[in-house]
Amino acid sequence: MAQIISLGTSRGDHTQQVPLLDLKRQYAEICDDMDVALRSVSDSGQFVLGPEVKKLEQNLAAYCQVDHAVGCASGSDALLLSLMACDIKSGDEVIVPSFTFFATASAVTRLGATPIFADVEPKSFNIDPHHVAQLINEKTKAIIPVNLFGQMAEMKTLNDLVRGRNIAMIEDSAQAIGAELENRRTGSWGDMCALSFYPTKNLGGVGDGGMVVTNNATFADKLRLLRGHGMEPRYYHSIIGINSRLDSYQAAALNVKLPHLDKWTTMRKQNADRYNALFCDADLDEMVVYPETLPNRRHVWNQYVIRVPNGLRDAMRQELTESKIGTEIYYPLGLHEQECFRYLGYALESLPETFRATREVIALPIYPELTEQEQIFVVEKIKQFCEKQRQFTLPKAA
Ligand SMILES: *Cc1c(COP(=O)(O)O)cnc(C)c1O
C-alpha cells in the first residue's frame, strides 16, 4: 500500500514525455551519412530508380537471403504487384487475416478479387492455420499471411496446406524485415514477400517505399515489368502494369540505414526483454498480458503490444496519454468489421480472436533509442493504473 501512495504522489510532477516513436533520435546518429547520400542524389539528377535503387535491391535480396528484389512505391503496392504477378482477378479468393493493416486486404479488392478473412492465434496475433485450412476451396488463389508486429506466422504449416495446389503464398512482412523462423528469414517462406519502408517500419525511408523479394526469377521479371506500366521496350506494352517505382532518395537513405538494421533490431529486442522483466517485477499478471516470442523465431519487435483484458484498455490508454506516454491501438477493428467491407457479410463476432484482440491490444513505445528510464516510467504508470483498478474491483480483505 505504501508503494501505491508513493506512486500516486509522483503523479503530476513528471514533465517527461515518452513518444510512441521518435525518428529524430535515429536521424541524429546517421545524419552526416544521410546528408551526403541525399545530396549525391540531388547532384546526380536521377530521381527515379537508377543506381541507388539497384544497389538497394541487391543489398536487400542479400539481407533477406533471396535471389531477387524489386523496389516499388510502397508496401501496399508491393502486395498489389505480388497479386498482379499471380494474375489474381475477379472471382478469385485470397485468404488474409482480419487482424492486420488495411492494405493486406485492399490489394485483393483492387484486383476485383474477394478477401476471405481468417481469424488469428491469440498468442502471436498471426493468422490461424487451422482456420485457413477450413477456408481453402477451389476458388482460393493466394494466401497472404502477415508477420504481424515483427514475428513470423506459422509459415511451415501454411506452406504444407498449399503444397501441390495452385495457391500462391505471399508474405506480408511490412512489419517484419529480418524476422526468422527456424533460422530462415522472411522473404523465402512464401513465393513472394512484401516489404514496406514507411518511416514507422524497422527499416524506414524518408517517405514512402516498398519492395518485393522472391527466389522466383519468373515472378521477379514480371514484377519489374508490372511496376513500370508493363512497358518493355519503351512505349511497347505487353501487359497492363501500374506506375509504382521506388525513388532514388528513398533508396539512398535506405542504403545508409540498412547496415544499422541488425543493431537497431537488437536494441528493440533488449527493450522488449526489459519491458517483460519490468512487468514481471510489477506483478500485474492478471491485468496485463505481455507479448510472447514463439519457439524457433527471431522476433524483430516492430511493435510491443500488450493485452489489457476486462474492458480496461481504453481507460488505461487514457491515463497513459495524460502522462504524455505515446501509445497506439493496432488495430481498433478487424477488417471484417470495417464499413467498406460490410458487403462481404461477416458477423462482427464471427472471428472471435480478432474481435477480442481489437478490444484488448495497446502498443507501447519500443523503438531502438528508447531509454531504460523511459521504460521504467511507462511500466510505473501502467502499474499505477492497475493498482487503482484493483482497489475498485477486488474485494477488501475482511
Ligand atoms: C505498413 C503496412 C503495410 C503497407 O505498407 P505501406 O508502405 O504503408 O504501403 C502493409 N501491411 C502491413 C501489415 C503494414 O504494417
Side-chain angles (χ1 to χ4, degrees):
M1 195 45 111
Q3 205 181 4
I4 300 169
I5 291 164
S6 86
L7 283 170
T9 52
S10 71
R11 206 164 176 250
D13 47 41
H14 274 283
T15 50
Q16 189 172 4
Q17 267 182 296
V18 187
L20 182 65
L21 177 63
D22 183 357
L23 291 170
K24 286 181 193 158
R25 297 189 200 181
Q26 187 183 75
Y27 182 66
E29 184 192 343
I30 54 169
C31 60
D32 291 342
D33 292 344
M34 285 282 268
D35 291 352
V36 169
L38 296 176
R39 178 65 201 253
S40 84
V41 173
S42 305
D43 289 342
S44 78
Q46 189 159 12
F47 300 124
V48 175
L49 298 175
E52 284 288 353
V53 171
K54 185 158 245 155
K55 186 170 141 198
L56 181 70
E57 289 175 341
Q58 284 163 356
N59 287 342
L60 272 176
Y63 188 80
C64 297
Q65 302 166 351
V66 296
D67 293 336
H68 311 280
V70 181
C72 61
S74 67
S76 303
D77 275 4
L79 290 165
L80 179 67
L81 288 163
S82 298
L83 292 172
M84 290 174 83
C86 302
D87 295 316
I88 300 298
K89 57 184 185 319
S90 167
D92 294 342
E93 294 185 356
V94 178
I95 300 172
V96 301
S98 176
F99 191 61
T100 179
F101 180 60
F102 182 70
T104 315
S106 61
V108 177
T109 56
R110 280 187 67 184
L111 297 174
T114 306
I116 303 294
F117 294 118
D119 210 354
V120 291
E121 295 183 316
K123 274 192 185 168
S124 66
F125 301 104
N126 280 328
I127 195 166
D128 179 354
H130 297 103
H131 194 206
V132 172
Q134 293 165 26
L135 298 173
I136 291 176
N137 63 44
E138 65 286 350
K139 287 187 189 164
T140 309
K141 291 291 146 53
I143 302 174
I144 311 181
V146 179
N147 299 317
L148 199 68
F149 303 147
Q151 172 156 246
M152 296 285 298
E154 295 291 350
M155 288 306 304
K156 212 171 170 178
T157 314
L158 292 164
N159 281 338
D160 286 344
L161 289 177
V162 302
R163 184 150 301 125
R165 309 170 93 134
N166 194 19
I167 299 174
M169 190 66 75
I170 298 166
E171 292 180 78
D172 181 342
S173 273
Q175 301 180 9
I177 187 169
E180 292 175 13
L181 174 63
E182 296 182 350
N183 298 315
R184 190 169 132 205
R185 280 222 166 142
T186 184
S188 62
W189 281 99
D191 297 297
M192 285 171 272
C193 172
L195 301 174
S196 165
F197 307 125
Y198 185 70
T200 63
K201 314 294 181 177
N202 284 18
L203 181 66
V206 289
D208 276 308
M211 194 162 289
V212 184
V213 297
T214 179
N215 269 329
N216 183 312
T218 310
F219 280 141
D221 289 344
K222 194 159 177 192
L223 289 162
R224 263 176 228 289
L225 204 52
L226 285 166
R227 77 170 169 189
H229 284 305
M231 181 165 76
E232 182 61 44
R234 189 175 287 269
Y235 305 128
Y236 288 81
H237 303 261
S238 52
I239 56 174
I240 301 173
I242 58 175
N243 169 9
S244 182
R245 299 170 297 224
L246 185 62
D247 74 76
S248 315
Y249 283 113
Q250 301 314 320
L254 294 163
N255 279 325
V256 169
K257 285 189 172 191
L258 184 57
H260 297 271
L261 181 58
D262 281 330
K263 174 189 66 197
W264 289 333
T265 300
T266 301
M267 291 161 81
R268 285 177 183 273
K269 179 169 188 306
Q270 283 167 351
N271 291 344
D273 290 344
R274 191 180 289 134
Y275 269 136
N276 288 351
L278 288 167
F279 277 123
C280 198
D281 288 349
D283 192 22
L284 304 173
D285 280 10
E286 86 280 20
M287 305 201 56
V288 173
V289 183
Y290 41 90
E292 273 182 59
T293 303
L294 297 185
N296 304 316
R297 278 163 171 82
R298 180 191 192 215
H299 193 323
V300 297
W301 296 105
N302 180 244
Q303 300 297 338
Y304 184 92
V305 174
I306 61 172
R307 282 181 190 266
V308 187
N310 310 317
L312 293 172
R313 192 263 315 267
D314 293 337
M316 180 190 285
R317 185 174 192 215
Q318 180 68 33
E319 289 253 324
L320 294 176
T321 303
E322 280 165 19
S323 301
K324 296 193 169 67
I325 294 168
T327 58
E328 191 50 89
I329 310 298
Y330 302 115
Y331 297 91
L333 287 181
L335 294 184
H336 72 289
E337 295 183 66
Q338 295 287 353
E339 187 180 342
C340 66
F341 291 137
R342 292 274 158 80
Y343 72 96
L344 295 167
Y346 286 79
L348 295 193
E349 296 183 47
S350 60
L351 302 176
E353 288 301 339
T354 298
F355 189 82
R356 193 161 70 89
T358 55
R359 272 69 183 169
E360 294 183 351
V361 293
I362 178 167
L364 305 178
I366 183 70
Y367 59 97
E369 301 80 9
L370 187 71
T371 66
E372 177 171 12
Q373 194 198 1
E374 288 173 317
Q375 289 192 276
I376 290 169
F377 180 66
V378 171
V379 174
E380 181 185 291
K381 288 293 167 190
I382 289 174
K383 179 169 182 167
Q384 199 175 308
F385 171 82
C386 290
E387 299 288 7
K388 234 185 341 187
Q389 294 302 322
R390 272 183 186 144
Q391 284 179 316
F392 289 132
T393 56
L394 295 183
K396 293 239 155 54

